[in-house]
């Protein structure tokens, strides 16, 4: 059975979150576009904007700097326009709350891939 576009986008987002939670760099490599970037404002208490490319992101997952904690995921919205999509997520781990805006593109292999992750992380009090 063919998945609908929203289902495919939801699957890509789920794989992205699960890949991070489980430190699964293989799964992440499949779902992240080669030009993937994490854009963060006020990252880990550092003033200004931090941009992390796919290679660095996967290395940080592999080295346990990012990820490795299960998170509860709520998809707040999916807005897609044929070959691009924007997904707003809320995530919660035992340590943090996340608000995450994710840009996806329909890649040349006809798979939805994350190209940008714009996130705010707030430590639980």
């Amino acid at each position: 059975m063919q998945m609908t576009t929203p289902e495919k986008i939801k699957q890509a987002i789920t794989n992205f979150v699960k890949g991070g939670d489980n430190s699964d760099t293989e799964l992440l490599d499949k779902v992240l576009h080669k030009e993937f970037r994490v854009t963060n404002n006020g990252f880990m208490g550092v003033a200004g904007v931090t941009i992390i490319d796919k290679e660095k992101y996967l290395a940080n997952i592999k080295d346990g700097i990012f990820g490795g904690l299960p998170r509860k995921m709520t998809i707040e919205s999916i807005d897609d326009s044929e070959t691009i999509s924007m997904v707003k997520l809320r995530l919660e781990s035992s340590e943090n709350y996340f608000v995450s805006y994710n840009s996806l593109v329909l890649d040349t292999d006809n798979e939805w891939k994350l190209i940008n992750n714009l996130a705010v992380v707030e430590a639980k009090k």
Side-chain angles (χ1 to χ4, degrees):
M1 197 174 95
Q2 199 73 32
M3 280 206 293
T4 64
T5 296
E7 286 171 338
K8 285 181 181 177
I9 293 167
K10 202 172 172 181
Q11 187 62 60
I13 284 290
T14 302
N15 287 347
F16 172 59
V17 172
K18 291 277 175 274
D21 292 357
N22 301 324
S23 304
D24 185 340
T25 51
E26 263 181 57
L27 181 60
L28 286 168
D29 189 41
K30 283 189 193 122
V31 79
L32 302 179
H33 189 273
K34 65 182 184 341
E35 297 297 336
F36 173 78
R37 299 284 182 273
V38 173
T39 308
N40 209 303
N41 201 343
F43 183 64
M44 292 182 160
V46 178
V49 173
T50 303
I51 296 175
I52 301 163
D53 66 14
K54 180 178 178 177
E55 197 179 338
K56 179 77 174 147
Y57 179 78
L58 289 175
N60 283 346
I61 292 279
K62 195 176 172 203
D63 296 341
I65 296 163
F66 297 162
L69 273 182
R71 293 171 294 180
K72 196 177 87 182
M73 175 179 85
T74 307
I75 295 176
E76 292 211 337
S77 63
I78 297 177
D79 186 355
D80 77 274
S81 305
E82 290 181 38
T83 58
I84 57 171
S85 175
M86 181 58 87
V87 178
K88 182 181 180 188
L89 284 182
R90 283 193 189 273
L91 298 161
E92 184 183 338
S93 74
S94 58
E95 296 175 2
N96 299 302
Y97 295 107
F98 304 80
V99 177
S100 177
Y101 293 89
N102 300 278
S103 308
L104 292 91
V105 291
L106 189 60
D107 209 354
T108 50
D109 61 3
N110 211 29
E111 293 293 328
W112 284 94
K113 307 259 174 78
L114 277 92
I115 196 151
N116 189 268
N117 167 256
L118 181 63
V120 177
V121 182
E122 188 190 332
K124 288 186 170 182
K125 303 290 179 255

